[in-house]
Amino acid sequence: MMAIQNTLSPRPGDDQPAPGQSRYGWLAASLRARITQGEWVPGTALPAEAALAREHGVALGTLRQALAVLVAEGLLERQHGRGTFVRAGLGGASMLRFFRFRHGGELTATPESSILERRTELAGPATSEALGLPTGASVLSLRRLRSVDGQPCLLEQITLPLPLFEPLASSDTTAWDSLLYPMFQRVCGTTIHRAEDQLSFGLLSAEQARLLRLEPGHPCVQVQRRAFDLSGRCVELRTTLGDAFAFQYTAHVR
Amino acid sequence: MMAIQNTLSPRPGDDQPAPGQSRYGWLAASLRARITQGEWVPGTALPAEAALAREHGVALGTLRQALAVLVAEGLLERQHGRGTFVRAGLGGASMLRFFRFRHGGELTATPESSILERRTELAGPATSEALGLPTGASVLSLRRLRSVDGQPCLLEQITLPLPLFEPLASSDTTAWDSLLYPMFQRVCGTTIHRAEDQLSFGLLSAEQARLLRLEPGHPCVQVQRRAFDLSGRCVELRTTLGDAFAFQYTAHVR
DNA sequence: CAGTGGTCTAGACCACCGC
DNA sequence: CGGTGGTCTAGACCACTGG
């Protein structure tokens, strides 16, 4: 005998769970879509387990398994007794995980930021490939110097896809926040959810050295970042240079 | 009314689960202990879920939750249809995650190894602290050069606690494997389960440069490793130096 | 085919949070 | 206190692995 589908069909339109997938996997995908499409904004709470389970016509355990997937992905955060929340994006000065700079005596929380240059330009083949843009698309190109106590410490080159970051193409750069990601969120509605940072080593060019107040040829660490939004799309390319002697990072193996 | 304990008491000696802990948490701790004490050797399979659940007098779901904890810790590995296995320790040349060296044209799998020096010495305060040894304990100190195609690439200083690594104090170092961790496992019965690598930057001393066939003052990356066995005890300290221009690493943020 | 882990259910009860 | 997520049970059935 055929399995009964469910006498009261859940959420008209997303009835049938399993082609080749598990039910919780399909459920997770369904919830993921509702999150990335902004049905629940970062920081807000989802409906309770029981409500979601009823809505989708599954057992509590199955729903919990789906939520566990999204928690593991870093999309959700659960708090006992309070609820299930969509996680806010990257907040703090995440480049500081690679460098230690002194502010007076203590370690810095957030360096100051100053935009040296802002240009609209056409993306080269590598850039448009990385950002998933058509060839010849427009991007916003930024050069930025970050300082601690007026002392320059990090030099950055940032590339942003342009239809998306249009609001930043004309606003007053001297009024920008020192943290870009929360501003991306507020001004462009784009949440930076995760990033991949590729570290390598090099020597400063004359111009780079001048901006960082170091000697030409001074050793530096280069961080090449690709940052992704909630839906997994790459929405920022960034190259950061900092004094190699300020470099410090701890990696965990296995 | 008091809860009935379980008419057939499971595993005499470890009856009572919950002081302040969940049952699965306590179960996980119990299984973790049996693993670290060698009841199940790395690579071997545990009894089936059903058997373990019966043995401990818990429901299947609860036992699965306990196993999930140990899987997340990297202690166990589960394979659908095959079984649940104790994971083997770190195997490959894990330092290569930080450097790219060329072997002919391709990237290297495993560099050759040569022991430059082996000494038994007394641990200083920092060393005995890190290894959890009493002050004045003996340790084995190694200096080791690793090469690709006869070209030196990594210089290492390794410190091992001595009662544990006694078999290595006298054996012929020229016969040692190029990978130490599998040898630790085979010869000393110690499994290296995880490690913490602290990266920083520096310049080569004259002697270091000579061994690596670079110039004195050449930029280098220093990896300070603390490696841990299955029970979480630190059993190796290692400092590795390599050409900064060969450095490359990708970090994932959030 | 027998044995393993993976999925799913429908409940009960506990622990935490905030009002 | 009511609402939230966390723990636990006792089953049934599915999917993969190996002989």
Side-chain angles (χ1 to χ4, degrees):
Chain A
M1 190 186 191
M2 287 194 59
I4 296 169
Q5 234 46 271
N6 245 320
T7 39
L8 15 165
S9 167
R11 285 185 54 79
D14 61 7
D15 292 293
Q16 274 310 88
Q21 258 194 96
S22 61
R23 193 177 295 221
Y24 77 83
W26 177 86
L27 235 183
S30 163
L31 294 169
R32 192 187 298 115
R34 293 170 77 179
I35 292 167
T36 60
Q37 284 162 27
E39 179 166 341
W40 299 298
V41 171
T44 63
L46 265 58
E49 293 181 329
L52 283 174
R54 211 180 328 110
E55 179 185 2
H56 290 86
V58 299
L60 248 181
T62 305
L63 183 100
R64 286 178 61 77
Q65 222 170 335
L67 291 181
V69 170
L70 301 180
V71 167
E73 288 176 5
L75 223 50
L76 293 179
E77 187 171 12
R78 313 197 71 181
Q79 289 173 246
H80 195 167
R82 301 222 319 125
T84 302
F85 301 84
V86 179
R87 276 201 24 194
L90 297 187
S94 49
M95 278 299 163
L96 287 190
R97 80 181 50 223
F98 299 121
F99 300 92
R100 44 158 171 54
F101 299 111
R102 304 268 153 203
H103 174 71
E106 306 87 52
L107 282 136
T108 323
T110 304
E112 306 115 38
S113 163
S114 96
I115 305 295
L116 303 179
E117 183 185 344
R118 173 180 57 187
R119 272 206 337 267
T120 297
E121 59 186 33
L122 298 180
T127 302
S128 50
E129 163 73 17
L131 292 173
L133 298 173
T135 53
S138 292
V139 294
L140 194 61
S141 175
L142 305 171
R143 250 162 88 86
R144 179 198 198 209
L145 187 64
R146 309 183 75 181
S147 310
V148 171
D149 273 341
Q151 186 66 234
C153 58
L154 294 173
L155 180 61
E156 300 189 316
Q157 203 285 319
I158 301 172
T159 303
L160 304 168
L162 241 200
L164 187 57
F165 287 88
E166 193 63 53
L168 299 182
S170 48
S171 68
D172 176 17
T173 57
T174 62
W176 284 11
D177 301 352
S178 59
L179 289 176
L180 294 185
Y181 292 166
M183 188 178 71
F184 289 174
Q185 165 100 274
R186 204 178 59 250
V187 178
C188 307
T190 294
T191 304
I192 301 295
H193 174 242
R194 66 176 190 90
E196 287 179 21
D197 289 328
Q198 183 170 314
L199 306 175
S200 61
F201 172 85
L203 303 175
L204 291 177
S205 73
E207 193 207 358
Q208 292 162 350
R210 182 176 54 79
L211 291 166
L212 287 169
R213 295 200 203 137
L214 296 167
E215 278 78 51
H218 187 93
C220 70
V221 167
Q222 172 180 283
V223 183
Q224 294 202 80
R225 165 171 294 184
R226 296 192 302 151
F228 302 84
D229 70 4
L230 283 178
S231 68
R233 182 189 163 196
C234 179
V235 292
E236 185 203 53
L237 298 176
R238 183 189 296 207
T239 300
T240 301
L241 298 177
D243 183 354
F245 291 101
F247 174 66
Q248 184 183 49
Y249 182 69
T250 300
H252 297 260
V253 185
R254 279 279 158 173
Chain B
M1 191 188 189
M2 287 193 59
I4 296 168
Q5 236 45 274
N6 245 322
T7 40
L8 14 166
S9 168
R11 285 184 55 79
D14 61 6
D15 291 293
Q16 274 311 88
Q21 260 195 96
S22 60
R23 191 178 296 218
Y24 77 81
W26 176 86
L27 233 183
S30 163
L31 293 169
R32 191 186 299 115
R34 292 170 78 179
I35 292 168
T36 61
Q37 284 161 27
E39 179 166 341
W40 300 298
V41 171
T44 63
L46 266 60
E49 294 181 329
L52 283 174
R54 210 180 327 111
E55 180 185 1
H56 290 85
V58 299
L60 247 180
T62 304
L63 183 101
R64 286 179 60 77
Q65 221 169 335
L67 292 181
V69 169
L70 302 180
V71 167
E73 287 176 6
L75 223 50
L76 293 180
E77 186 170 11
R78 313 198 71 183
Q79 289 173 246
H80 195 168
R82 301 222 317 125
T84 302
F85 302 84
V86 179
R87 276 202 20 194
L90 296 187
S94 49
M95 278 299 163
L96 287 191
R97 78 181 53 222
F98 299 121
F99 299 92
R100 43 155 174 57
F101 299 111
R102 304 267 151 204
H103 173 71
E106 306 86 53
L107 283 136
T108 322
T110 304
E112 307 115 39
S113 163
S114 99
I115 306 295
L116 302 180
E117 182 184 343
R118 172 179 56 186
R119 272 207 335 267
T120 296
E121 58 185 34
L122 298 178
T127 301
S128 49
E129 162 73 17
L131 291 174
L133 298 174
T135 53
S138 292
V139 294
L140 194 62
S141 176
L142 305 172
R143 250 161 87 85
R144 179 199 198 209
L145 188 63
R146 308 183 76 182
S147 311
V148 171
D149 272 340
Q151 186 66 235
C153 58
L154 295 173
L155 181 61
E156 299 189 317
Q157 202 286 318
I158 301 172
T159 302
L160 304 168
L162 240 197
L164 187 57
F165 287 88
E166 195 63 54
L168 300 182
S170 49
S171 66
D172 176 16
T173 58
T174 62
W176 285 10
D177 300 352
S178 59
L179 289 176
L180 294 184
Y181 292 166
M183 187 178 71
F184 290 174
Q185 165 99 273
R186 203 179 57 251
V187 178
C188 309
T190 294
T191 304
I192 301 295
H193 173 241
R194 65 175 191 92
E196 286 178 21
D197 290 327
Q198 184 170 314
L199 306 176
S200 61
F201 172 86
L203 303 176
L204 291 177
S205 73
E207 193 207 359
Q208 292 161 351
R210 182 177 53 78
L211 291 166
L212 287 169
R213 295 198 203 140
L214 296 167
E215 278 79 49
H218 187 92
C220 70
V221 167
Q222 174 181 280
V223 182
Q224 295 202 78
R225 164 171 294 186
R226 296 190 303 151
F228 303 84
D229 70 5
L230 282 178
S231 69
R233 181 189 164 198
C234 179
V235 292
E236 184 202 53
L237 298 177
R238 184 190 295 206
T239 300
T240 301
L241 299 177
D243 184 353
F245 291 100
F247 174 65
Q248 184 185 50
Y249 181 69
T250 300
H252 297 260
V253 185
R254 278 281 158 175

